[in-house]
Amino acid sequence: MAAPKGSGGKGRRRLAGRGPTPRAEDRVWHKAHKARQERPAHQGGRGGTARPGGRRTGSDWVVGRNPVLEALQSGLPVRRAFVAEGAERDDRLREIFKYAAGHSLTLLQVPRTELDRLTGGAVHQGVAVQLAEFQYADLADAMAAALGRDDDHGLLVACDGVTDPHNLGAIVRSAAAFGADAVVIPERRSASMTAAGWKSSAGAAARIPVVRVKNLSRALEQLTGAGFLVAGLAGEGDADVAGLPGAEGPLVLVVGSEGRGLSRLVRERCDALVSVPVTNRVESLNASVATAIALYEVSRRRG
């Protein structure tokens, strides 16, 4: 009986240099990766440990030499960093190496084909970083921190359907700048804290808690029961935000989506609707701009 024919080592040569096969959930084009991002993550498990009471979301990628350098310099939380073998050195890549050396960040050298696989075929220019999974805070913790302030000026910002991550990041930045205790976003029909949101927040996302809730309307009901005044920003608001009664006490400022504004259910949960007065030359302000103005007026009222 003749011995079975083998490949003569051809298969081995084809596999050489590809490195370990990444897990399905780490391959950004794989359905397992998409499912992981869409479902609420549980605490603990592979890919890092969530802080007590928090939730996690899928990790995000930043690719390309300029974006990676900007991400590192902006302080985005990096989980893993990769550089392709034989990547051509230029000033940007040298700056990335310099930053990594100065911040004890390990750059994993992998074959270019492996980096193609990890980033789903994106134009990575030989370098990519995977951000750590964002750690969302718990609503109860945010409420306790806001109500526990000595000045009784607890302040939360809630986003109702803000789907642009750049707007969300800018809102987080303004919230931190004007002393808010947390930003609250819903799980559905909302931007999450991806690389774009991190970058737009200019690092503020590391300094202020971001809470993600299943149902924003119910969360606002809970906040009302805890003693917060809930004020919604709306163009047809009954009062100028600068004259909002009760702004000195615990307050939730709710901003609506970029297009349709506040949803009906959220609007019904508001104790007051306030507006940022503008001239008739424009119909409305960008969500993040309106939020920044409203937060400034609240901080001015509180002295």
Side-chain angles (χ1 to χ4, degrees):
M1 180 177 178
K5 294 182 180 180
S7 67
K10 294 180 181 177
R12 182 178 299 173
R13 285 196 295 272
R14 284 199 299 267
L15 292 172
R18 288 192 178 274
T21 300
R23 296 175 303 176
E25 60 187 18
D26 283 338
R27 301 176 219 165
V28 294
W29 70 92
H30 198 283
K31 63 181 182 180
H33 176 84
K34 295 178 181 177
R36 180 184 178 188
Q37 287 190 310
E38 290 171 358
R39 69 174 182 265
H42 297 290
Q43 297 179 24
R46 293 190 298 181
T49 304
R51 67 185 180 187
R55 294 191 183 93
R56 302 182 304 157
T57 186
S59 55
D60 198 11
W61 286 88
V62 178
V63 301
R65 300 191 178 194
N66 278 335
V68 165
L69 182 57
E70 291 175 3
L72 294 177
Q73 292 174 339
S74 298
L76 271 66
V78 174
R79 177 184 174 194
R80 295 186 297 176
F82 299 89
V83 62
E85 293 176 351
E88 182 182 352
R89 304 290 181 96
D90 62 6
D91 290 342
R92 292 167 299 170
L93 192 55
R94 281 189 283 270
E95 282 294 315
I96 291 170
F97 285 145
K98 181 179 178 181
Y99 181 94
H103 293 79
S104 301
L105 175 64
T106 300
L107 281 168
L108 302 175
Q109 192 174 52
V110 297
R112 183 171 291 271
T113 51
E114 181 68 8
L115 195 53
D116 290 341
R117 286 161 58 90
L118 288 170
T119 60
V123 182
H124 51 65
Q125 299 177 306
V127 64
V129 294
Q130 184 183 29
L131 301 185
E133 295 171 346
F134 188 80
Q135 304 293 306
Y136 289 103
D138 184 77
L139 180 61
D141 293 339
M143 287 171 52
L147 293 174
R149 290 170 50 157
D150 294 335
D151 58 9
D152 198 34
H153 286 351
L155 177 61
L156 303 179
V157 177
C159 299
D160 178 24
V162 175
T163 56
D164 185 334
H166 298 283
N167 268 345
L168 176 59
I171 289 170
V172 169
R173 184 178 185 183
S174 295
F178 290 107
D181 298 286
V183 174
V184 182
I185 63 174
E187 286 186 358
R188 300 180 60 191
R189 299 183 183 87
S190 171
S192 57
M193 290 306 299
T194 59
W198 264 104
K199 185 176 178 181
S200 296
S201 78
R207 299 189 293 274
I208 180 172
V210 178
V211 176
R212 193 164 67 165
V213 297
K214 289 186 178 296
N215 186 299
L216 184 59
S217 176
R218 292 175 187 168
L220 294 177
E221 183 180 17
Q222 186 178 351
L223 288 162
T224 298
F228 285 85
L229 174 71
V230 178
L233 280 176
E236 73 282 10
D238 301 326
D240 185 328
V241 65
L244 175 63
E248 293 78 8
L251 174 68
V252 181
L253 187 66
V254 189
V255 57
S257 68
E258 296 86 354
R260 60 186 177 85
L262 298 173
S263 64
R264 179 183 60 83
L265 290 176
V266 166
R267 185 182 295 262
E268 291 174 355
R269 294 297 182 195
C270 293
D271 300 304
L273 294 178
V274 294
S275 63
V276 175
V278 295
T279 68
N280 56 10
R281 296 178 182 177
V282 295
E283 183 177 348
S284 62
L285 294 172
N286 172 279
S288 61
V289 173
T291 304
I293 295 172
L295 286 170
Y296 166 74
E297 291 292 353
V298 170
S299 67
R300 196 165 65 91
R301 280 278 304 277
R302 293 177 165 189

